[in-house]
């Protein structure tokens, strides 16, 4: 990993006041997650410590040895492309995440550009369809009829269907639990809320046209934080609002602007 990119990201954030993760990502090639964790010192702690010392001294001339880029054979290139595709389809990686992953693996810039072009051009529709199917499979399970069971006090209770998910968020079976609520994985939830191509029904609150009780300035701030790479859950924790409310309001503003 070229640690100079991490150092550059810290400089842009702390010294240049570049709080827009899109800008930092474009300048360094790092993903939102890598930038966020570098800023907090969770990842690349050595670089974080060095930068803070340099910041106290006012000297930012430090450089790190640049690793030699990997030369991929045709077979290695193909395997890496498949691995990246699996990360996109099953783990919800976006192109910036993939680029950050490739940068961390010291892949040559030319190979990175070629991979990103192929992934974006050939698989975007497949990725959307795969995520849409995962959501549909989850909702199909949640729509299954409930069952009756007996609790520890020997009372008859209602048991509600809950999908079993594997590491790729694919439905592998059904569990029955004494409550209705089911937490959809964040990457599928974000896709459900953000995708214009998703043919699934939109949330009921949106369809009823319920008036928005949150100030426009607050919703604008939610949108800005979302564009900076924050998840709905992180925004919700900051404002004391549920992630579902955040996503509904942000999606509504986006649609109003597009129409």
């Amino acid at each position: 990993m070229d640690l100079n990119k991490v150092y550059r990201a810290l400089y842009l954030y702390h010294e240049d006041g570049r709080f827009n993760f899109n800008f930092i990502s474009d300048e360094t090639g790092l993903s939102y997650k890598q930038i966020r964790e570098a800023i907090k010192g969770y990842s690349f702690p050595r670089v974080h410590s060095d930068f803070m010392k340099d910041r106290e001294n006012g000297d930012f001339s430090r450089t790190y040895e640049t690793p030699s880029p990997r030369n991929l054979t045709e077979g290695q290139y193909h395997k890496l492309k498949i691995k990246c595709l699996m990360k996109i389809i099953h783990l919800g990686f976006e192109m910036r995440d993939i680029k950050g992953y490739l940068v961390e693996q010291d892949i040559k810039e030319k190979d990175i550009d070629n991979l990103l072009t192929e992934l974006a051009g050939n698989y975007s529709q497949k990725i959307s369809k795969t995520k849409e199917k995962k959501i549909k499979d989850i909702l199909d399970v949640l729509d299954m009829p409930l069952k009756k069971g007996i609790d520890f006090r020997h009372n008859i209770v209602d048991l509600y269907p809950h999908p079993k998910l594997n590491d790729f968020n694919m439905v592998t079976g059904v569990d029955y639990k004494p409550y209705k609520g089911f937490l959809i994985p964040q990457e599928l939830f974000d896709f459900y809320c953000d995708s214009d191509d998703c043919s699934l029904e939109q949330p009921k609150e949106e369809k009823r046209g319920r008036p928005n009780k949150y100030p426009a300035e607050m919703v604008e701030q939610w949108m800005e934080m979302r564009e900076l790479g924050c998840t709905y859950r992180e925004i919700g924790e900051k404002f004391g609002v549920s992630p579902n409310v955040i996503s509904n309001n942000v999606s509504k503003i986006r649609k109003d602007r597009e129409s």
Side-chain angles (χ1 to χ4, degrees), residues 103-160:
V103 166
E104 196 166 3
Q105 301 299 313
D106 296 321
I107 306 300
K108 290 195 302 185
E109 288 290 338
K110 182 179 179 181
D111 287 336
I112 290 178
D113 292 341
N114 290 339
L115 276 167
L116 293 177
T117 300
E118 290 183 32
L119 290 170
N122 298 336
Y123 301 117
S124 58
Q125 185 175 3
K126 184 176 180 181
I127 292 163
S128 296
K129 291 297 182 183
T130 300
K131 290 184 177 181
E132 188 171 338
K133 185 180 185 304
K134 289 180 182 180
I135 296 173
K136 183 179 183 303
D137 289 344
I138 290 174
L139 296 180
D140 285 345
V141 171
L142 295 176
D143 285 339
M144 292 172 61
L146 57 82
K147 292 185 177 182
K148 297 292 183 180
I150 300 177
D151 65 13
F152 69 96
R153 293 191 179 125
H154 300 169
N155 296 318
I156 296 177
V157 295
D158 291 332
L159 296 176
Y160 301 92

Side-chain angles (χ1 to χ4, degrees), residues 89-108:
I89 291 178
H90 296 304
L91 300 181
F93 275 43
E94 298 180 356
M95 285 303 169
R96 290 182 188 275
D97 301 317
I98 294 296
K99 185 173 183 179
Y101 167 74
L102 296 174
V103 166
E104 196 166 3
Q105 301 299 313
D106 296 321
I107 306 300
K108 290 195 302 185

Side-chain angles (χ1 to χ4, degrees), residues 18 44 72 84 91-92 110 142 146 168 176-177 223 242:
R18 301 285 189 171
F44 314 106
L72 299 177
C84 291
L91 300 181
K110 182 179 179 181
L142 295 176
L146 57 82
F168 301 117
Y176 284 86
K177 301 183 180 182
M223 288 192 65
S242 76

Side-chain angles (χ1 to χ4, degrees), residues 189 193 203 205-206 210 212-214 218-219 222 232 235-236 240-252:
F189 181 76
C193 296
E205 287 186 352
E206 229 177 82
R210 181 176 295 178
N212 188 359
K213 67 179 181 179
Y214 298 97
M218 181 180 292
V219 179
W222 294 348
Y232 292 120
I235 301 172
V241 180
S242 76
N244 195 31
V245 170
I246 301 287
S247 67
N248 287 342
N249 279 271
V250 170
S251 297
K252 186 176 185 304

Side-chain angles (χ1 to χ4, degrees), residues 27 52 58 73 88 103 118 136 156 180 183 237 251 256:
E27 288 288 310
M52 290 305 170
T73 64
I88 293 171
V103 166
E118 290 183 32
K136 183 179 183 303
I156 296 177
K180 292 183 178 180
L183 182 62
E237 289 175 354
S251 297
D256 289 344

